[in-house]
Structure formats: structure tokens, C-alpha cells
Amino acid sequence: MEGTPEAEPAVGGSRFAVLGPIRAWRGTEPLASGSPQQRALLAALLLRDGRTATAPELIDAIWGEDPPAQALATIRTYASRLRKILDPGLLVSESGGYAIRLGDLAALDLGVARGLAGDAEAARAGGDRSTARTLLGRALDLWEGEPLAGVPGPYAETERTRLSEWRLTLLENRLDLDLETGQHAEAVSELTALTAAHPLRERLRELLMLALYRSGRQAEALAVYADTRRLLADELGVDPGPELAALQQRILRGDAELARSADPAPAAAPVQVRPAQLPATVSDFTGRTAFVDELSEVLSGAGSEGQVMAVSAVAGIGGVGKTTLAVHVAHAARPHFPDGQLYVDLQGTDPRPAEPVAVLGSFLRALGTPDTAIPDSAAERAALYRSTLDGRRVLVLLDNARDAAQVRPLLPGTNGCAALVTSRVRMAGLAGAHLVDLDVMSPEEALQLFTRIVGAERVGHERQAALDVVGACGFLPLAIRIAASRLAARRTWTVSVLAAKLADERRRLDELQTGDLAVKATFELGYGQLEPAQQRAFRLLGLADGPDISLPAAAAVLDLPEYDAEDLLETLVDCSLVESAAPGRYRFHDLVRLYARACAERDEQPPAERDAALSRLLDFYLATASAVYALERPGDRLVAHLAPTRYPGLEFTDRHAALDWLYAEGNPLLACVRQAAARTDAEVGALRRAADLLLAAKDLLESGANSTQYASGAVSLCEAARASGDPYAEGRARTVLTNVHLVAGRFTEADDEARRAGLLARGTGDALSSCWAANDRGIIALYEGRHADGERHLLEAIDRFRADGNKVGEASALCNLSRIHAALGRLSSAIELAGEGIAIYDRMGLTLRLANGRYALGIVLVQAGRPVEALDQLTAALALFHDNRQPLWEGITHYRIAEAHLAAGRATLAASHAEQAIALRVMGGEWRRACVVMVLGRALHRMGQRDRARACWMDAEIVFEQLGSAELAEVRALLASELAA
């Protein structure tokens, strides 16, 4: 038997399932539960929760009003058989009846489900909706079809109805939690199917209306209400209930509450105690609530029984607010340290940091030790310092430490004291220390700090400009304070004036200084402490755009083996000049990156090394993306046409690992493309390699993972290639841009780019762009209904692919041509052409391309009136697209599956797949979404939901009219037929 209850009692115990067919196990061994009537007896006993059932009750439960003559003897026989297979003592006889005493809720799947449902209710009451949703999902997963399936008798029938109703209630609760946790778009498909299966259940209709409304589909939400009202009137002669009616009114009003986060308690007033050396805390301290709470908890626990002396070390980049935070927390913790607070600036960023022996002397004097009693050596002073603190509760704030060696002699030795350390270096060498990595402020905290300094009135009138200012400051507290202080001192300036000044990246660091405060000077202190190799790594890595950089990419920039590059990067992390975004990934703060680039311009010799570093990075990405493409599409000739690289990339043997790399590197890779397009001083060939990188990384577009950034890079590259007078690079860039427009459903723009790409390719002899220009123009003509043009372009593409020896491209063009033939009514040749393409893909072992082939054949089979065969092809294509992480193609395949189900007369399944296509998004932008919505409307209309169907068609009509699409006439005909009905 398959499937076992989620929780298991002790090994060897009996377990039972009733939320599906009646089943039993001993440990993991399935047990034979006997005839249907014997299973009915077992069910009746299991569902009584250990209570005794008398013989007459059992006879009535199994046979009802027509028991056999030997019913009592039969009951005893069934009980005897069950006792033989169950654990001893489980089935008991008493008072002329029988009972099953499980003793463990986990022994019955129903008991497990009840427990999970109860835990979910408690979690929801406690505000933990995510946990509640997970628990309900686990409870629902215990059902395996109809409860008590195949069990006869009136008792089983009654319990079957009760358990089915309970499951539906749990499902409604889980869907309600889906909506509360923001998963409304995903819930629409399931709710559409459920309302079709349970049309009179108003709670499901209410949830569907809310899910549609939160998905931006207000017209459909209101149409659900209209469909429900008409159905209830026709079937029951009643109106919708008050909850449903109230929801309709709230949707009509656009109630903001339908689309649905406390200040920390004020710190205790500081008590004046001695020594009291803490610097003054700033009056405008802002945010950092989590860090304040974390550090305060550690400090407040100092002196607790069993706890050693508390040490907390705060690390972070210069200007991030380490000292401000530490001083603020220390002041708040003063009541816990009534015997005093010591403070010292250890000058860790200075060429001559403070010596521990001198600091110990000043601390001893502050604690009341006469000068004559202070010894000379550091070791003796440290021992006397610890002795003096014994029995006292003192907080020691060690600010701006250089390293752990400087700090260790200054730590108290008893558990009543605590030390708080700040440093740009992470104090991993302090044994037992509580380490805190302080990051920049959140945008909300940054804006709040800026407002407190500048004034709410000035900021209130220019909120967006203020957000631009704090964004330009990289949310770094020091930079925000400098910028705000400059503005506060200049009453004639507006916030927009300051924002404009900071918008110029080359001048930004110079603008961020006022009085003795300067961001650049803060960074200069850290940079000056680096060794020459570390300084070079800092400068060169700062040249690369992108949100972060991986270790292999950084090694390419530095032209070093990975292990040497990692050593350098980790030292920069330890100095808080670079952040470790994740294992093997690194990033700069925006202002630190600007400083690193300024250092590169000033210090990097010879200057050509800057260009060489970026060229190695571009080579690395192109070589690695080409390897991914070749592994995913074996035999595809595209990689043979790409520009050669001088710096190697990574190699892969596993296709999934290759795709992992591509999607993880998507943002940095595309940033490298945009950077190559923006550089006017780039080496010859950089634009060509950047265009080739986009061709090799086309999955970033077609998967939807980075489509916006990909499109931006393609546009920038095309403009740069045209401006530079490089027709070869321009032709390839326009080939890329054609695909961008195709994915977005902008067919006019796509055709124009493909036409220009073809002309440029013929002028430069670029076979790759020539092939794909013809193929793309054939696809565009198909979508626009220009079938004769499409056939001409695709026949040209087939000839060009064959001349190039590109079997993969030939197969693609054949599959596209099959769709042209189908549109022209040549169904036999259409199926034959698609089969030829699939055969090529099969021979070459191409899984992703095979998905495209099966997708094309599925469409043709639907048009040929063979929807069942079409569904086989489309379902196989869907699985392949999912395995290759192509959610946009998954979406469009769901759309085609919906068409096939509609052709087969399965309206509910068609609606479900159309909803999944909408939730996943689909290839083709607004045009394709409108096509999906039109099919959804057809399915809903067949399901009797005419108002919602009409809302879908009206939505599609607006899109088709805006785009001038051929489908406009079709959707208007649907609307006209509905009005005439």
C-alpha cells in the first residue's frame, strides 16, 4: 500500500488511515483489512475515538435497516479476524461490544489532521500566519481521495460527508491564509476550480472575489458576484449572503483596506554615576531598533548567575554609525552598571593607535587608583585593572579598536562587568565575544534621520528629492548627516538642489563633506592601512558594476588564482571595506565603490590595467555563459560564431549546476554588458563580446529571471554599437533586441529590428545574425497573421541554417514553419514538419529545444482537431520547461493546454490552466496576456460564469485595441454574441 500518515507512533505500533481508503500498517508493513463490511467495522471503531460500540450499534452502522439474519455472528467473525492482524490488546471486547484503543493520536491520520488543524488555529491566533498556513497544508496533504472510499453502510456514508465537509472548511481556511500572506495571484487558479466544483458555496466565491481584486482584476471580481447572484436566484431563489454583498460594495468603493506593520519604548533616563566617561549620545539617534535590542539584551545579562563577563563587538564600514550606536546603547545600559562606565577612543585607524599600557593607566586613575600605585608594565597594569574591577559592575566602551590584540588587555575579568567594542575589523579573535555586523540604515530610517536634521517642513514638500538624497548617500549614516547638515546650514537651498549635486557620481564624495566631517577622509583611513596587494584588489574590484561579484569573477578581474583572490577579499571583508554578501560573493557599499574608483584613477599604474581588468571580466562572463549554452543546447552552432576570449571561464559537467551559475550571476553579468556599452574608451571588440554575451545568456530573458535588465542592456548596447560605427556589433545587438521585443509581444518593433539586423548581417557576412533574422521575421509574421510572408522568411531561414550546418536552428525553423502550414490549413504537412524538427532535437539530446518542438506540435494538433494527442505533447513540453527553469515558457504552455482542454470540452480544466498561465506570466507581454484572458473567458462562459467571462473579454478587447492586434475582431465577436444571447 502507498502512503502513510505524516506522524508515526513508536516503531512496531499499528497505524491506520481513514482519509481515503481504509488502510492499516504495523510499523511500515501494510495489513490486509479484509472485505468491505470488515473495513466498515474497522472504520466504525476507529472513528469512535476509543469509545465502545455495542453490537446493535455496529450492525446498524454496517447494514442499516436491512441486516442479514446472521449479522451478530458476522460481526464477531470480523472482530476475530481483525484481532489476529492487529497488535495484541488493541481491539478489546467489553459490555457486549467492541472498541479500538489507540492511545496515540498519531496512530490515526484523522488524529494527526486534527492536531495539525488545532496547532494551525493556535498559530493563527498568535499572529503566525505563515506557520498556520504550512500546518493546514500538511493536514490537507493527509487526504488521499474520498474519505472511507469503498466502505459500505450508512455510518460510513454519514462520516464520509462530515469528513469531506471538514476538509473543505480546512481548505477555505488555508486559502484565506494564502490571501493574508500575499499569495492571492497563486490562489486564483485553485479558487476558480473550487467554485466550479462547489458553485453554491459562498465562502469560496468570496475568497475568489478578494483574490481577483488583490491581483488587480477588479472587473472579474465584480463579475464573480454577478454570476453568484444569478446562480443563487436560479437555483435557490435567494440573494447572496451579507458577507458577499458587503465585499462587493467594498470593491466598488475601492476600499484600501482590502489591499492590505511601533516605536521602541523610551530608554530609561540615565542615572549619573562615577566614573561616567561616556561621550554624549546624539539627540537625533534614529532607528537601529533590532541592534539596540540585541546589544542591550547582552549587556543587561552581565552578572547573571553562571554567565561570564559579557563582551560585544560591533564591526562595520567607516561612517556606518558604530560609535553612535555603541554610545547610545551604553547610555541606555547605565542602570545595569551602577559602579561606572569607562570610555576610550583606541584610534585604530590612525598610523599610531593607542597603546594598551597607556589606556590601562588612564582607566586605573578613573577608578580611583593613585598615580603612585600604578605599575609600569602593561601586564602588571592589566592585572591591577582586573583586580580593581572585581566586585564592581562597570561597563567599558572600547571605541575604534584596531584589532583583537589591542583589546584583550583592556577587558574586565569578572562577570559583573561588560565590554562593548567598536571596530572596522571583525573581532573574530576575541574568544566568546558576541559579534555584531552593522549594516547601513534602511531607507525608512535614513529618511527619518535626514528629516530630523533638516526639518519636517522642508522635507515634507520634497519627499522624493529627499529619498534621492539618502539613496545617493547609500543610506550611510555619516553621509546622510553630512548632507543634511549642509542643507540645514543653507536656508536658500532646496532639497532638490542638494539631490542634483549628489546625482553626479564623480563629484559625490567631494560634496559629502562639511566642517571636520568628510566621507572620503573616513574611507582614506581604512585604505591607508592596507598592504599594496590589498590596495590593488580594492581599486580594481571597485571598477566592476553590478550589485555583487562572485569569487571566480573577482579572480578574473585581479588576474589571480581563486585561492589568492579569496585571501585578499577576506582581508578586505575583515577591514569592512568589502562586504561578504554570501559565501563566495562580495559587494561594495555604493560610496566605497566610488572611493575605490577614485583610487584606481589616482593610483593604478599603468592606466591600461583598469581596461585590462574589465576586459578579463567580460571574457570570463562570455566564456562561462558560452559553456552553459553549449551544455544546455548541445550541437547548437551559436557558440561557434561567438567572439573568442583570452581569459578562460568556468566549465560544467552538470546542466543544473550550469543553470544555477547563470541565474546566480544574472545581475552582475548584465551589469557588465551595460558597463561595456557605456564605456567610450573600451578596447576594440568589447561591444562585440558584450553582444555575444547577451546571445549566450538569452535564458536570462526567456526565463523571465532578469528580463528587464536584459532588455536595458540590449538597448544600451545597440545604441553604443551604432554610435561607434561597428556594423557587426550593431547587427548582433539588433538580433538580441529582436528577441527582447518578441518576448514582450511588441511585434512591429521586433520586425523592424530583425529587418535591420538582417541587412547589417548581409553587409558584414555574419551568418549567425542572417539566420536568426530570417527565422525571427517568420515568427513575427505568424503572430501578425501574414502567413505568406512568414512562409517565405522561414524557408529562407531553413536554407541559411543548412548552409551554416546548424541543425538546431534548422529544427527551430521547421517547427515554426509547421505552425504557418497549420494556419494555412495544410495540417498534414504541418504535423510532418513539426515531427522533423522534433526528430532533430531528439537525435541531438536537446531537452529545452525538444520542449519547443513538442510545444509547436501540440499547437498544430489542436488545430487539426486532435486535442488528446496535443495534450500529450504540451504536457511533456511543460515538464521540460519546468525542468529547465523557464517560467515564462511554462506560462505560455499552460495557455496552450487551456486551448487544448477547451477543444476537448473540458472547460473547468481549461480555466484552471489559463489561471496558472496568468499567475506565472506568459511570453508575449500584454498581447499574450490578453490572448490568455480571452481563452479564460471562453472557459468561464462554458462553465456558466457569463458575467466574469464578459469581464475577461472586455479586458482583452482593451489590450487588442491598443495594440491594433488581429485578435480584436475575434473578441468583439464573442462580446457581440454574449449581448445577443
Side-chain angles (χ1 to χ4, degrees):
M1 301 181 191
E2 296 179 356
T4 58
E6 177 175 291
E8 297 185 4
V11 174
S14 295
R15 296 177 293 113
F16 304 90
V18 297
L19 300 178
I22 288 286
R23 290 174 296 174
W25 299 265
R26 180 183 292 111
T28 59
E29 177 189 359
L31 303 176
S33 53
S35 67
Q37 284 77 18
Q38 184 171 311
R39 293 200 301 274
L41 173 64
L42 179 60
L45 296 176
L46 287 171
L47 293 174
R48 287 178 176 268
D49 296 327
R51 300 188 304 275
T52 300
T54 65
E57 287 174 335
L58 292 171
I59 292 171
D60 185 61
I62 298 172
W63 292 287
E65 297 178 357
D66 190 23
Q70 302 297 320
L72 181 58
T74 303
I75 289 287
R76 290 170 178 166
T77 299
Y78 292 158
S80 176
R81 291 174 181 172
L82 289 173
R83 191 175 281 117
K84 291 177 181 178
I85 64 172
L86 301 180
D87 288 345
L90 195 61
L91 176 59
V92 298
S93 304
E94 59 183 24
S95 304
Y98 300 95
I100 289 181
R101 306 277 165 77
L102 297 177
D104 187 347
L105 288 175
L108 180 64
D109 59 353
L110 178 58
V112 177
R114 287 170 175 164
L116 290 168
D119 292 344
E121 185 176 352
R124 188 173 189 176
D128 191 351
R129 296 182 179 89
S130 178
T131 297
R133 179 182 177 277
T134 300
L135 291 169
L136 283 176
R138 287 165 57 190
L140 288 164
D141 287 343
L142 293 171
W143 264 266
E144 297 189 40
E146 183 182 50
L148 306 174
V151 177
Y155 181 79
E157 186 59 38
T158 300
E159 289 299 307
R160 196 158 30 242
T161 302
R162 180 181 66 83
L163 291 172
S164 296
E165 175 64 24
W166 186 50
R167 179 187 178 279
L168 204 50
T169 300
L170 293 179
L171 188 55
E172 287 174 341
N173 291 339
R174 199 221 73 212
L175 286 162
D176 194 14
L177 286 164
D178 285 351
L179 270 58
E180 290 185 17
T181 54
Q183 301 183 61
H184 37 268
E186 295 84 349
V188 170
S189 175
E190 188 174 1
L191 282 164
T192 297
L194 285 169
T195 53
H198 308 278
L200 299 178
R201 198 168 181 99
E202 291 191 42
R203 179 57 178 151
L204 289 172
R205 299 270 183 164
E206 183 182 345
L207 290 169
L208 177 57
M209 288 174 64
L210 189 55
L212 287 166
Y213 180 74
R214 290 184 179 173
S215 300
R217 299 160 68 176
Q218 180 177 357
E220 286 186 66
L222 293 170
V224 170
Y225 180 82
D227 285 327
T228 306
R229 183 175 60 185
R230 186 181 64 254
L231 179 66
L232 291 174
D234 292 346
E235 297 289 333
L236 304 176
V238 298
D239 289 329
E243 293 85 359
L244 206 60
L247 179 59
Q248 182 221 21
Q249 292 300 313
R250 294 179 70 186
I251 291 175
L252 287 170
R253 293 196 306 269
D255 190 339
E257 287 297 315
L258 284 180
R260 354 187 237 284
S261 226
D263 289 329
V271 179
Q272 295 295 325
V273 293
R274 301 184 64 88
Q277 295 186 339
L278 295 177
T281 187
V282 294
S283 61
D284 50 21
F285 183 86
T286 302
R288 305 299 203 185
T289 305
F291 291 110
V292 171
D293 291 345
E294 179 181 351
L295 291 168
S296 296
E297 183 179 358
V298 175
L299 294 181
S300 64
S304 300
E305 186 175 353
Q307 180 172 334
V308 297
M309 189 269 300
V311 181
S312 293
V314 181
I317 186 176
V320 80
K322 301 180 294 295
T323 299
T324 302
L325 172 65
V327 170
H328 179 81
V329 170
H331 273 286
R334 287 176 66 183
H336 297 287
F337 302 97
D339 296 320
Q341 305 87 41
L342 297 169
Y343 170 85
V344 64
D345 178 0
L346 292 174
Q347 302 171 350
T349 56
D350 288 4
R352 296 177 59 86
E355 294 289 343
V357 66
V359 175
L360 286 167
S362 66
F363 277 179
L364 287 168
R365 294 184 190 95
L367 291 167
T369 306
D371 283 348
T372 55
I374 298 175
D376 292 331
S377 74
E380 289 177 313
R381 288 186 178 189
L384 178 59
Y385 169 65
R386 292 191 293 271
S387 298
T388 304
L389 291 176
D390 185 34
R392 298 193 189 187
R393 297 181 59 82
V394 174
L395 173 63
V396 183
L397 176 48
L398 305 172
D399 192 22
N400 192 17
R402 185 179 185 89
D403 52 32
Q406 187 188 28
V407 167
R408 287 192 192 98
L410 308 178
L411 297 178
T414 56
N415 68 349
C417 297
L420 187 54
V421 185
T422 74
S423 176
R424 298 191 183 193
V425 177
R426 203 165 191 267
M427 293 287 170
L430 282 183
H434 176 76
L435 304 180
V436 174
D437 295 316
L438 189 60
D439 203 352
V440 296
M441 287 181 145
S442 69
E444 294 79 11
E445 290 175 335
L447 183 60
Q448 188 178 2
L449 175 59
F450 184 78
T451 303
R452 286 185 172 181
I453 299 171
V454 173
E457 183 176 354
R458 294 177 77 181
V459 173
H461 294 305
E462 297 183 276
R463 178 179 173 82
Q464 186 56 54
L467 288 170
D468 292 341
V469 169
V470 297
C473 292
F475 311 115
L476 189 72
L478 175 62
I480 296 167
R481 184 172 296 281
I482 290 171
S485 298
R486 290 190 69 196
L487 185 60
R490 293 161 175 80
R491 304 303 301 177
T492 59
W493 282 18
T494 62
V495 182
S496 299
V497 168
L498 179 59
K501 288 179 174 292
L502 295 176
D504 183 356
E505 289 190 353
R506 298 185 66 86
R507 289 280 308 159
R508 188 176 298 167
L509 289 176
D510 294 327
E511 294 288 347
L512 289 174
Q513 55 184 347
T514 184
D516 61 347
L517 294 177
V519 171
K520 185 187 292 186
T522 300
F523 297 156
E524 190 72 49
L525 291 173
Y527 178 71
Q529 293 179 358
L530 300 178
E531 299 294 331
Q534 296 169 337
Q535 290 182 337
R536 174 183 178 270
F538 176 75
R539 294 191 302 265
L540 293 183
L541 290 171
L543 295 172
D545 283 349
D548 61 3
I549 191 168
S550 66
L551 176 58
V557 171
L558 301 178
D559 197 17
L560 290 173
E562 278 191 30
Y563 52 85
D564 288 340
E566 184 176 23
D567 288 344
L568 286 171
L569 281 160
E570 289 299 324
T571 60
L572 294 177
V573 170
D574 289 340
C575 296
S576 297
L577 287 170
V578 170
E579 301 171 27
S580 179
R585 302 198 71 86
Y586 303 88
R587 67 184 175 209
F588 280 92
H589 181 273
D590 290 346
L591 295 180
V592 178
R593 188 197 303 276
L594 293 178
Y595 175 71
R597 290 180 176 178
C599 291
E601 292 182 6
R602 180 190 68 196
D603 301 339
E604 199 58 49
Q605 298 298 329
E609 176 58 13
R610 301 197 296 268
D611 294 335
L614 292 175
S615 181
R616 289 192 296 270
L617 181 62
L618 181 57
D619 272 0
F620 167 79
Y621 281 135
L622 176 55
T624 310
S626 300
V628 175
Y629 189 98
L631 189 61
E632 191 183 10
R633 300 169 175 86
D636 194 319
R637 287 272 300 158
L638 180 139
V639 292
H641 290 284
L642 301 181
T645 58
R646 291 187 293 272
Y647 195 91
L650 301 177
E651 295 182 359
F652 304 96
T653 56
D654 177 70
R655 183 170 59 85
H656 292 288
L659 285 174
D660 285 342
W661 177 88
L662 181 64
Y663 293 130
E665 290 294 312
N667 286 324
L669 181 153
L670 294 172
C672 183
V673 170
R674 292 192 298 271
Q675 188 170 19
R679 292 174 60 213
T680 58
D681 59 344
E683 62 175 302
V684 175
L687 292 177
R688 297 186 183 187
R689 284 181 290 147
D692 285 352
L693 178 53
L694 287 180
L695 287 170
K698 64 184 297 184
D699 281 340
L700 296 177
L701 171 70
E702 295 189 358
S703 69
N706 302 82
S707 52
T708 301
Q709 301 95 315
Y710 188 100
S712 171
V715 171
S716 299
L717 195 60
C718 192
E719 293 172 351
R722 181 168 51 82
S724 69
D726 186 343
Y728 192 97
E730 184 183 352
R732 295 229 164 163
R734 293 197 184 280
T735 300
V736 172
L737 205 48
T738 299
N739 202 27
V740 169
H741 289 310
L742 264 174
V743 169
R746 297 187 293 267
F747 303 128
T748 301
E749 294 89 337
D751 193 51
D752 183 57
E753 292 297 343
R755 179 185 58 79
R756 298 167 74 176
L759 291 172
L760 288 164
R762 283 192 286 276
T764 60
D766 182 3
L768 179 69
S769 295
S770 294
C771 292
W772 286 108
N775 187 69
D776 291 341
R777 296 198 73 187
I779 297 171
I780 296 162
L782 168 67
Y783 287 146
E784 293 185 333
R786 297 182 287 106
H787 301 129
D789 289 344
E791 185 172 25
R792 175 170 52 83
H793 289 310
L794 288 169
L795 287 171
E796 178 190 347
I798 291 171
D799 288 340
R800 291 187 178 276
F801 281 128
R802 286 172 175 168
D804 187 47
N806 192 337
K807 300 298 291 183
V808 176
E810 177 188 345
S812 175
L814 286 168
C815 290
N816 293 327
L817 185 59
S818 76
R819 294 179 59 187
I820 292 282
H821 278 224
L824 292 170
R826 306 176 202 160
L827 297 175
S828 295
S829 62
I831 294 172
E832 183 179 342
L833 286 167
E836 287 181 39
I838 290 174
I840 294 174
Y841 291 146
D842 261 333
R843 286 197 301 270
M844 304 189 75
L846 292 166
T847 56
L848 178 55
R849 288 297 193 182
L850 183 59
N852 293 120
R854 293 194 181 280
Y855 169 83
L857 180 56
I859 296 172
V860 172
L861 287 169
V862 171
Q863 293 172 290
R866 295 155 63 178
V868 175
E869 296 172 70
L871 283 168
D872 289 340
Q873 296 295 329
L874 291 169
T875 302
L878 181 65
L880 290 171
F881 284 133
H882 180 76
D883 185 55
N884 285 273
R885 304 182 220 177
Q886 298 283 326
L888 293 186
W889 275 106
E890 284 185 67
I892 196 172
T893 308
H894 274 296
Y895 157 58
R896 295 300 186 180
I897 291 175
E899 287 187 320
H901 278 304
L902 206 55
R906 303 166 183 158
T908 301
L909 284 172
S912 175
H913 281 280
E915 288 288 3
Q916 290 179 71
I918 293 171
L920 280 167
R921 296 184 300 147
V922 289
M923 190 91 64
E926 279 297 289
W927 171 77
R928 183 71 75 192
R929 188 190 67 81
C931 291
V932 178
V933 169
M934 185 165 66
V935 169
L936 175 60
R938 288 181 183 273
L940 293 170
H941 192 269
R942 293 190 189 179
M943 292 162 60
Q945 299 184 26
R946 293 167 54 188
D947 289 291
R948 187 177 166 198
R950 186 164 54 250
C952 288
W953 292 336
M954 292 172 67
D955 181 10
E957 180 187 27
I958 292 170
V959 175
F960 291 146
E961 187 172 31
Q962 289 173 343
L963 297 176
S965 303
E967 291 79 9
L968 180 60
E970 181 182 356
V971 76
R972 283 182 172 168
L974 290 169
L975 286 167
S977 65
E978 173 61 18
L979 288 172

